[in-house]
Amino acid sequence: MAAASNSHIDSQGGAVVRLSHVTLRYGDACALDDVSLEVPRGQRVCVLGANGSGKSTLASVICGLLAPDEGDVELVGEAVCAGGEPDLEAYRRARRGLGLVFQNPDDQIVTSVVADDVAFGPENLGLPRDEIRRRVERELKRVALTDYARADPSRMSGGQRQRVCIAGALAMEPQVLVLDEPSSLLDVRGREAILRVMSRLTAAGTTLVHVTHFMDEALQADRAIVMRAGRVVLDGAPREVFCSKNAELIDELGLEMPFELRLERARRALTAGGGAAKTAGAAGPVAAGRGVAGRGAGDARSNAAATAEAPAQASATAPLCSLDGVGYAYTPRSHALEGASFQVREGECCAIVGQTGSGKSTLLRLLCGLEAPDAGTVEVAGATTATKRGRRAVRHQVGYVMQHPERQLFAQTVEQDVTFGPRNMGLPAAEVARRVDHALDLVGLGAKKGFSPFELSGGQKRLAAIAGVLAMEPRLLVLDEPTAGLDPRGRTRLRELVADLRAHGVTIMQVTHSMEDAARADHVVVLDQSHVIADGTPTEVFSRANAGKLHACGLGLPRPLSYARELEDAGAPALGDPLTIEELAAALGPLAGAGDAASAAGDDPRDDGPRNGGPRSNVPEEVGA
């Protein structure tokens, strides 16, 4: 162990984080492999990479939660680890200047009252009571949870709990703040506000290390670090990392380019394939995009949803799920749902969207027969959930993947976990084995069947939980934020999986904060403050007539649609209502030449078109409720 007297090191050049040849292993697995980097004071760093690439482990080392097996670590002027030997006293001193927001908020919340949880860190710093109260009030206001100060976090939505954790970290006023996927469970308004908070923190001198799977968030950082198998493979300004010469490597790593460069690629594909002519009147190109380009890999809606025949077929089928005047309250003053009514037909893919705390997860629990409504009726496959017998019948028809999949994982291996459901159905061993192998192959975890589910990354745990439900071959598959925590490749795989299941007649209902995922559905239901405020096809729900309503409740539009409308507002010809990048590319037409977009190495993708893919909404400075 390093001597305490040698543990304090001046921050040469303003660096507050130094890692030198750091290696960290979990058993035989190498999570970090000879990583060396420095982070200057006040820098905003985004850490990118596929699930399992070592991002969260790196975050844990930087915030002082993990000590490496090899290498040196210096944090906020303290030499906390030398040659793989931790200095526990130096770690104790350093942690006073370090903050962390975990990927899963339930790993961080320690009390049963929101205000007490936010106060927990400042209290452990030994701050005066008045200062603690001031910080708690300030941070609750910053994350728009002032009205929830006395609430029980366990009764709040996942997004609200995530904001509690962010407030608690900010209340400690750390020199270095590490955020591991802080916006994964937040709605559009919440995500934008958290990004604004980050900008203000770095302007005030706070160093931020931001782990994310959203490439467009990285564009707002000073620096982007891309990891693969525990190693840093790209490190530089975002404009350098996302330049065209790295496009092939970005694809290979399972990531994606920012929106504007993906749009450029789609338009170049039209050029190479002799695609639609440039838009004059939008109907032709947009229609072509929906019929052909709209079914491209990854960004496509399901074939059934992308063709003209599918809506007619869906409307001809009987409702599989029906809600009529449904109400539910956790307490007499806390109404999670009021008067909710809509139907989902057999074979449809239905997206449920709404700001955090609007009642989405409660709605799913009612549909799965886990709760009985206080008012109204819920019917699934002909069974009502008003009685215990009816709820049991419903549970035989429904597969439910919860918001936090680790709550569903329990066995020693992934294979045993996925086997549990089919085996309890009394199926023959050969059929159980077939279903397990098929489900694991569908989610891309066939090679992980012998691993412990608790050794998987957050995104892989989600896929393992989905596999366990798919192995039971449910009639209705219910997914609560299925893409949260997944890398771009995982999100693409899940979208393709949903499209495949939909094509095989499985009815899909998913809660999502992604308007792009909602745009790929057949049917969209919008919740706001426990009420259904919109219900229809994506084109109907995201129409101009509903734009103000969606903005008022903290939601946005699909990126291609908001991009097109800003271009139109700036004087471009009418582009129709493109809901996917392929539709938008078809509406804009193929590129005339290499100079039409930021394709040259070193060009900044942020300078090509509307920043962040659409109009900037006038959201409040605090995070939306």
Side-chain angles (χ1 to χ4, degrees), residues 364 368 399-405 408 462 465-467 469-470 477-482:
L364 294 194
C368 293
Y400 180 34
V401 179
M402 296 186 293
Q403 197 171 53
H404 301 298
Q408 292 176 252
R462 183 170 300 273
I466 292 173
V469 174
L470 291 178
L477 179 62
V478 174
L479 306 164
D480 195 353
E481 288 288 350

Side-chain angles (χ1 to χ4, degrees), residues 169-216:
L170 294 177
M172 296 180 69
E173 298 184 353
Q175 296 180 53
V176 178
L177 178 59
V178 180
L179 301 108
D180 192 354
E181 290 282 355
S183 61
S184 60
L185 296 176
L186 297 182
D187 54 36
V188 174
R189 177 181 289 172
R191 181 171 295 155
E192 288 188 352
I194 286 299
L195 292 175
R196 284 198 304 276
V197 168
M198 290 184 193
S199 296
R200 291 199 298 270
L201 289 172
T202 50
T206 302
T207 303
L208 291 181
V209 178
H210 176 199
V211 176
T212 182
H213 282 139
F214 296 100
M215 303 304 108
D216 290 304

Side-chain angles (χ1 to χ4, degrees), residues 1-5 7 64-68 73 75 78-82 84-96 98:
M1 182 177 293
S5 60
S7 65
L65 283 184
L66 290 177
V73 179
L75 303 174
E78 298 286 344
V80 297
C81 187
E85 291 293 329
D87 183 336
L88 300 184
E89 182 61 25
Y91 265 116
R92 186 189 66 79
R93 292 193 300 270
R95 289 188 186 115
R96 297 179 66 89
L98 302 170

Side-chain angles (χ1 to χ4, degrees), residues 188-190 192-193 196 551 554-555 616-622 624:
V188 174
R189 177 181 289 172
E192 288 188 352
R196 284 198 304 276
H551 172 76
L555 300 179
R616 300 294 296 173
S617 56
N618 296 318
V619 296
E621 285 298 307
E622 63 271 5

Side-chain angles (χ1 to χ4, degrees), residues 353-476:
V353 301
Q355 60 185 342
T356 55
S358 60
K360 303 184 301 296
S361 295
T362 299
L363 174 62
L364 294 194
R365 291 182 60 82
L366 291 169
L367 281 168
C368 293
L370 298 177
E371 307 283 355
D374 298 327
T377 59
V378 178
E379 281 193 17
V380 180
T384 178
T385 63
T387 65
K388 288 185 178 179
R389 177 177 296 181
R391 291 194 291 277
R392 282 197 299 268
V394 165
R395 289 195 286 268
H396 283 292
Q397 302 291 328
V398 178
Y400 180 34
V401 179
M402 296 186 293
Q403 197 171 53
H404 301 298
E406 60 274 15
R407 295 177 179 175
Q408 292 176 252
L409 303 174
F410 62 92
Q412 291 185 340
T413 68
V414 170
E415 182 178 28
Q416 291 172 355
D417 208 292
V418 178
T419 299
F420 182 79
R423 180 175 291 164
N424 279 346
M425 295 171 67
L427 299 173
E431 174 63 11
V432 171
R434 182 196 68 79
R435 290 192 181 196
V436 170
D437 288 343
H438 181 58
L440 288 174
D441 287 342
L442 281 175
V443 301
L445 292 179
K448 299 285 188 179
K449 60 169 31 177
F451 284 60
S452 166
F454 305 105
E455 294 176 353
L456 302 179
S457 69
Q460 290 170 332
K461 287 178 182 178
R462 183 170 300 273
L463 292 173
I466 292 173
V469 174
L470 291 178
M472 300 177 69
E473 298 186 355
R475 190 173 173 186
L476 170 65

Side-chain angles (χ1 to χ4, degrees), residues 537-569:
T537 66
T539 300
E540 293 168 343
V541 169
F542 295 121
S543 66
R544 284 189 179 272
N546 281 333
K549 185 188 298 182
L550 295 174
H551 172 76
C553 66
L555 300 179
L557 299 174
R559 291 286 298 281
L561 182 57
S562 62
Y563 191 99
R565 288 184 180 169
E566 183 168 279
L567 289 178
E568 292 176 11
D569 292 343

Side-chain angles (χ1 to χ4, degrees), residues 451-589:
F451 284 60
S452 166
F454 305 105
E455 294 176 353
L456 302 179
S457 69
Q460 290 170 332
K461 287 178 182 178
R462 183 170 300 273
L463 292 173
I466 292 173
V469 174
L470 291 178
M472 300 177 69
E473 298 186 355
R475 190 173 173 186
L476 170 65
L477 179 62
V478 174
L479 306 164
D480 195 353
E481 288 288 350
T483 60
L486 293 183
D487 58 33
R489 180 178 290 167
R491 293 197 295 266
T492 296
R493 182 185 297 122
L494 185 60
R495 288 163 184 160
E496 292 170 346
L497 172 62
V498 167
D500 184 53
L501 294 170
R502 162 73 170 81
H504 285 83
V506 178
T507 305
I508 310 289
M509 182 172 291
Q510 62 173 321
V511 161
T512 181
H513 284 311
S514 168
M515 298 303 106
E516 287 71 36
D517 285 342
R520 295 181 183 94
D522 305 307
H523 180 191
V524 181
V525 175
V526 183
L527 287 174
D528 181 45
Q529 297 182 7
S530 76
H531 293 85
V532 174
I533 63 168
D535 173 20
T537 66
T539 300
E540 293 168 343
V541 169
F542 295 121
S543 66
R544 284 189 179 272
N546 281 333
K549 185 188 298 182
L550 295 174
H551 172 76
C553 66
L555 300 179
L557 299 174
R559 291 286 298 281
L561 182 57
S562 62
Y563 191 99
R565 288 184 180 169
E566 183 168 279
L567 289 178
E568 292 176 11
D569 292 343
L575 298 172
D577 295 316
L579 295 176
T580 68
I581 280 186
E582 287 80 10
E583 292 179 5
L584 178 58
L588 291 170

